[in-house]
Amino acid sequence: MKKFEFSLGRIRDYKNSILDKEKSVLAGLRMEQNNIEARIKELDNYEAELNAEMREKIRVGLSVGEIKMYEFKKNNIRDEKIALNHRLEFLAASIELQQKRMEKLKQETSSYDKLEEKQRAEYNAELLKEQEQVISEFISQKLIREKTN
């Protein structure tokens, strides 16, 4: 009997390669998400430092120009945080979509694996039958030879 060959192996391998690419896309999205979250924390820390510095200078006395400078910096921080939060929302939606895409691909590759297991089991059962038949024929021929001698 010929060697077992899964006829849909190439398709499964192709789907697995697509799944690997989708995993790397997801990893990139998550990395960007982590970078943005880290930047937001940096901005929060800078804003806290700026507020503390401003309070300290208010005690000593601030000019109108200095107050405007602090307000300008605080507004820039707020605007950047708003933009980063919008980007985070977009990334969260993208990550969710990517996870669904990957789940679908995992199910497809899993179905190919299950089909291969089923076909391999059928192949092994057929191979076992053939081997049993060969053994049976061998024993039958041996018995016939013994009877004729």
Side-chain angles (χ1 to χ4, degrees):
M1 183 172 212
K2 68 178 184 174
K3 181 181 169 189
F4 175 76
E5 185 178 322
F6 181 55
S7 58
L8 299 173
R10 282 184 167 174
I11 295 172
R12 181 193 52 208
D13 294 343
Y14 173 72
K15 295 283 185 180
N16 277 328
S17 70
I18 291 174
L19 179 61
D20 290 341
K21 288 177 186 175
E22 295 297 331
K23 284 179 182 178
S24 66
V25 168
L26 180 63
L29 290 172
R30 286 188 173 149
M31 186 172 70
E32 184 178 355
Q33 182 183 38
N34 290 338
N35 290 340
I36 289 174
E37 288 171 349
R39 177 65 181 148
I40 290 172
K41 286 180 185 176
E42 287 175 10
L43 288 172
D44 287 340
N45 291 338
Y46 179 63
E47 185 176 28
E49 290 171 12
L50 198 61
N51 285 332
E53 182 181 319
M54 187 174 146
R55 278 192 302 272
E56 184 63 33
K57 287 196 176 189
I58 285 175
R59 274 192 235 145
V60 177
L62 273 177
S63 69
V64 174
E66 289 175 314
I67 291 174
K68 286 190 181 247
M69 179 199 62
Y70 280 111
E71 289 300 317
F72 178 76
K73 286 181 180 182
K74 287 167 61 174
N75 286 338
N76 283 342
I77 291 170
R78 185 197 54 177
D79 291 344
E80 186 176 351
K81 283 171 53 175
I82 288 171
L84 290 172
N85 281 318
H86 287 305
R87 181 66 184 159
L88 274 180
E89 289 172 9
F90 174 78
L91 282 173
S94 297
I95 287 171
E96 184 178 336
L97 181 65
Q98 189 67 20
Q99 286 173 328
K100 288 179 182 176
R101 191 176 299 141
M102 284 179 48
E103 185 61 36
K104 183 180 176 192
L105 281 169
K106 284 179 186 178
Q107 288 174 352
E108 286 180 25
T109 57
S110 174
S111 67
Y112 285 115
D113 290 339
K114 289 176 185 175
L115 180 61
E116 181 184 19
E117 286 177 27
K118 181 181 175 187
Q119 287 181 0
R120 187 175 298 277
E122 290 171 359
Y123 170 83
N124 288 337
E126 194 174 312
L127 183 62
L128 186 59
K129 264 187 188 178
E130 271 189 27
Q131 289 172 347
E132 288 174 354
Q133 186 177 2
V134 167
I135 292 171
S136 176
E137 287 177 13
F138 176 75
I139 292 173
S140 298
Q141 288 177 1
K142 185 178 178 185
L143 287 175
I144 291 173
R145 274 187 256 138
E146 287 177 359
K147 283 187 179 182
T148 56
N149 287 337

